[in-house]
Amino acid sequence: MTDRTFDIGDRTVDRLGFGAMRLTGEDIIGAPDDEDAAREVVEHAVEAGVDLIDTADSYGPGVSERLIGEAIGDDEDVLVATKAGLLRNREGDWLPHGDPDYIRNQVLCSLDRLRTDTIDLYQFHRPDPDTDFEESVTTFGELKDEGLVSEVGLSNVSVEQLETARDHVEVATVQNRYNVGDREESDVLEACEEYGIGFIPWAPINGDDIDGVDAVEKVADDHDATTRQIALAWLLERSDVILPIPGTSSVDHLESNLEATEISLSDEEVERLTDAGSN
């Protein structure tokens, strides 16, 4: 990596974080079978040096945030990012809901579950076709002005929506789908690079995107590494603004993911992996 860290507002974090979506039950609904084990994963991540944890109020819903709060409380050395803007139901659907009153209600719930007075990074989870995008974004900006959140981020947005949001609030991060096998959001990444905005790729090591990419498997063999580790190493080399947040409910998988920071890819390998992905 050319730079191991990135500044989100006035906080400097290591670029490889931890995604806490998988701390919940099946289909990201309800509590996990073993809550102690879930809390242990969070605790182990922090002990291993992870200082960026990403979650959302819709994971559970509420379960992931609660477990993080119980595991580490308001740890001043860890930047905890959460999101609002999606509803859940028992069928596991993800339903956009960006109503300003709803967002204001949800920030209070997240503050309580995370056991903090201020959310480090609050992200609009997904634009809502039934709510004016500018109204939703402005609400996040107001929450920052009121001191309930420190920084504002976006998720699942287009370049045009990012530009619109920047007219109303300082955008610290954008979280869109992106990995070695899925580059559909490359234009958003390029915009983040231009503006110095952190780009948090969700599904950074999605097996459906990585499996079958011959270049990933070849580089993994050459480094005696897993394909997931190579996919993470490539993201860290791909751009200094990328902050991958691989998620897991296993301490062993967490350790494996963190080992990706120890892999040094050659320029030729980075180019080969870059050329191998879809554009």
Side-chain angles (χ1 to χ4, degrees), residues 219-226 229:
V219 173
D221 288 341
D222 291 343
H223 284 266
D224 192 24
T226 68
Q229 289 170 333

PDB file of all heavy atoms in Angstrom, residues 219-226 229:
ATOM      1  N   VAL A 219      -2.607 -15.155  -8.869  1.00  0.00           N
ATOM      2  CA  VAL A 219      -1.837 -14.326  -7.941  1.00  0.00           C
ATOM      3  C   VAL A 219      -1.904 -14.914  -6.532  1.00  0.00           C
ATOM      4  O   VAL A 219      -0.909 -14.901  -5.803  1.00  0.00           O
ATOM      5  CB  VAL A 219      -2.355 -12.868  -7.961  1.00  0.00           C
ATOM      6  CG1 VAL A 219      -1.663 -12.039  -6.876  1.00  0.00           C
ATOM      7  CG2 VAL A 219      -2.127 -12.246  -9.329  1.00  0.00           C
ATOM      8  N   ALA A 220      -3.054 -15.436  -6.150  1.00  0.00           N
ATOM      9  CA  ALA A 220      -3.190 -16.058  -4.827  1.00  0.00           C
ATOM     10  C   ALA A 220      -2.237 -17.242  -4.699  1.00  0.00           C
ATOM     11  O   ALA A 220      -1.562 -17.403  -3.669  1.00  0.00           O
ATOM     12  CB  ALA A 220      -4.628 -16.500  -4.599  1.00  0.00           C
ATOM     13  N   ASP A 221      -2.145 -18.057  -5.733  1.00  0.00           N
ATOM     14  CA  ASP A 221      -1.223 -19.202  -5.706  1.00  0.00           C
ATOM     15  C   ASP A 221       0.220 -18.729  -5.574  1.00  0.00           C
ATOM     16  O   ASP A 221       1.016 -19.302  -4.824  1.00  0.00           O
ATOM     17  CB  ASP A 221      -1.381 -20.031  -6.973  1.00  0.00           C
ATOM     18  CG  ASP A 221      -2.681 -20.829  -7.007  1.00  0.00           C
ATOM     19  OD1 ASP A 221      -3.280 -21.022  -5.920  1.00  0.00           O
ATOM     20  OD2 ASP A 221      -3.091 -21.244  -8.093  1.00  0.00           O
ATOM     21  N   ASP A 222       0.568 -17.672  -6.284  1.00  0.00           N
ATOM     22  CA  ASP A 222       1.941 -17.158  -6.258  1.00  0.00           C
ATOM     23  C   ASP A 222       2.325 -16.630  -4.877  1.00  0.00           C
ATOM     24  O   ASP A 222       3.501 -16.648  -4.503  1.00  0.00           O
ATOM     25  CB  ASP A 222       2.117 -16.054  -7.297  1.00  0.00           C
ATOM     26  CG  ASP A 222       2.050 -16.583  -8.728  1.00  0.00           C
ATOM     27  OD1 ASP A 222       2.190 -17.812  -8.906  1.00  0.00           O
ATOM     28  OD2 ASP A 222       1.851 -15.775  -9.657  1.00  0.00           O
ATOM     29  N   HIS A 223       1.332 -16.150  -4.122  1.00  0.00           N
ATOM     30  CA  HIS A 223       1.607 -15.577  -2.800  1.00  0.00           C
ATOM     31  C   HIS A 223       1.254 -16.536  -1.664  1.00  0.00           C
ATOM     32  O   HIS A 223       1.351 -16.153  -0.492  1.00  0.00           O
ATOM     33  CB  HIS A 223       0.820 -14.276  -2.621  1.00  0.00           C
ATOM     34  CG  HIS A 223       1.396 -13.102  -3.366  1.00  0.00           C
ATOM     35  ND1 HIS A 223       2.275 -12.215  -2.792  1.00  0.00           N
ATOM     36  CD2 HIS A 223       1.222 -12.699  -4.654  1.00  0.00           C
ATOM     37  CE1 HIS A 223       2.610 -11.291  -3.682  1.00  0.00           C
ATOM     38  NE2 HIS A 223       1.986 -11.568  -4.822  1.00  0.00           N
ATOM     39  N   ASP A 224       0.836 -17.756  -2.031  1.00  0.00           N
ATOM     40  CA  ASP A 224       0.375 -18.708  -1.015  1.00  0.00           C
ATOM     41  C   ASP A 224      -0.678 -18.047  -0.126  1.00  0.00           C
ATOM     42  O   ASP A 224      -0.625 -18.128   1.104  1.00  0.00           O
ATOM     43  CB  ASP A 224       1.547 -19.214  -0.167  1.00  0.00           C
ATOM     44  CG  ASP A 224       1.163 -20.414   0.703  1.00  0.00           C
ATOM     45  OD1 ASP A 224       0.200 -21.117   0.337  1.00  0.00           O
ATOM     46  OD2 ASP A 224       1.810 -20.619   1.748  1.00  0.00           O
ATOM     47  N   ALA A 225      -1.621 -17.390  -0.775  1.00  0.00           N
ATOM     48  CA  ALA A 225      -2.670 -16.644  -0.076  1.00  0.00           C
ATOM     49  C   ALA A 225      -4.026 -17.108  -0.580  1.00  0.00           C
ATOM     50  O   ALA A 225      -4.137 -17.868  -1.550  1.00  0.00           O
ATOM     51  CB  ALA A 225      -2.510 -15.146  -0.328  1.00  0.00           C
ATOM     52  N   THR A 226      -5.079 -16.663   0.087  1.00  0.00           N
ATOM     53  CA  THR A 226      -6.432 -16.964  -0.376  1.00  0.00           C
ATOM     54  C   THR A 226      -6.846 -15.934  -1.426  1.00  0.00           C
ATOM     55  O   THR A 226      -6.286 -14.836  -1.506  1.00  0.00           O
ATOM     56  CB  THR A 226      -7.441 -16.932   0.778  1.00  0.00           C
ATOM     57  OG1 THR A 226      -7.586 -15.576   1.240  1.00  0.00           O
ATOM     58  CG2 THR A 226      -6.982 -17.815   1.931  1.00  0.00           C
ATOM     59  N   GLN A 229      -7.901 -12.747   0.269  1.00  0.00           N
ATOM     60  CA  GLN A 229      -6.793 -11.889   0.687  1.00  0.00           C
ATOM     61  C   GLN A 229      -6.238 -11.088  -0.489  1.00  0.00           C
ATOM     62  O   GLN A 229      -5.935  -9.895  -0.356  1.00  0.00           O
ATOM     63  CB  GLN A 229      -5.694 -12.737   1.322  1.00  0.00           C
ATOM     64  CG  GLN A 229      -6.060 -13.296   2.686  1.00  0.00           C
ATOM     65  CD  GLN A 229      -5.055 -14.315   3.181  1.00  0.00           C
ATOM     66  OE1 GLN A 229      -4.384 -14.976   2.392  1.00  0.00           O
ATOM     67  NE2 GLN A 229      -4.960 -14.465   4.493  1.00  0.00           N
TER      68      GLN A 229
END
